[in-house]
Amino acid sequence: MAGTSGSVAGTRPDAEYEILCDDNGSFLRRYTTDNGAPVLVDTTLDGTTAYVSTGTVRRCDVATANPVIDSTIQRQAGAGNVTIPVGARSVTVVVYAGNPTLAIGGGTAATLDPGTSLTWGVDRGGKVGESLQDAFVFTGVAGSNFLVTSTREI
């Protein structure tokens, strides 16, 4: 209505919800007020089952500060395999000679020519961060010479 001003007082407490994470994963936190005092209630994501948080509670989208990164490097000359398991943060291959193959996630292997350099990676790690979901299997044949490097959060 034009020219009307004022405020309306609600009779029910205000409730706010946020999805948070702890050492076991995500859960729902409800914030309400009771006579001006904040009240926190944690539940599983269904909103009804009680939940007790474990470890540090944080926003789920916040990566772990200063994660520890494990790096690997392996040169393969001739026949043999180099396997990078699921969960790496980065994988790089450089082919110097021969025609090794690469299979990603159990898919069909592709032949790599000499001079090929390929890299896969993610930019955000931490417990709730990103990692590569597929395993990488590099297979050398007679005359192959290639180098595979990877990083993984530990």
Side-chain angles (χ1 to χ4, degrees):
M1 297 189 293
T4 303
S5 65
S7 64
V8 176
T11 58
R12 296 177 7 148
D14 181 33
E16 302 291 329
Y17 297 87
E18 185 171 19
I19 295 176
L20 297 173
C21 288
D22 65 7
D23 291 349
N24 293 323
S26 55
F27 64 96
L28 187 65
R29 177 166 283 173
R30 182 178 68 233
Y31 301 90
T32 58
T33 56
D34 185 12
N35 294 325
V39 177
L40 307 177
V41 176
D42 294 341
T43 65
T44 60
L45 295 177
D46 68 9
T48 57
T49 306
Y51 182 83
V52 177
S53 61
T54 302
T56 302
V57 174
R58 65 193 178 286
R59 289 183 181 268
C60 296
D61 59 354
V62 177
T64 301
N66 302 317
V68 177
I69 305 296
D70 181 43
S71 301
T72 65
I73 185 168
Q74 184 173 343
R75 183 171 216 135
Q76 181 64 44
N81 292 332
V82 176
T83 300
I84 305 299
V86 169
R89 283 187 63 183
S90 69
V91 175
T92 298
V93 62
V94 178
V95 180
Y96 300 108
N99 294 100
T101 62
L102 165 61
I104 301 174
T108 303
T111 300
L112 305 178
D113 294 325
T116 299
S117 176
L118 301 169
T119 298
W120 298 262
V122 296
D123 65 353
R124 190 172 55 126
K127 288 184 179 183
V128 296
E130 303 165 323
S131 65
L132 298 171
Q133 70 178 4
D134 295 313
F136 292 73
V137 179
F138 302 90
T139 302
V141 295
S144 292
N145 187 352
F146 61 95
L147 185 70
V148 177
T149 60
S150 71
T151 61
R152 170 179 310 278
E153 191 166 326
I154 55 174

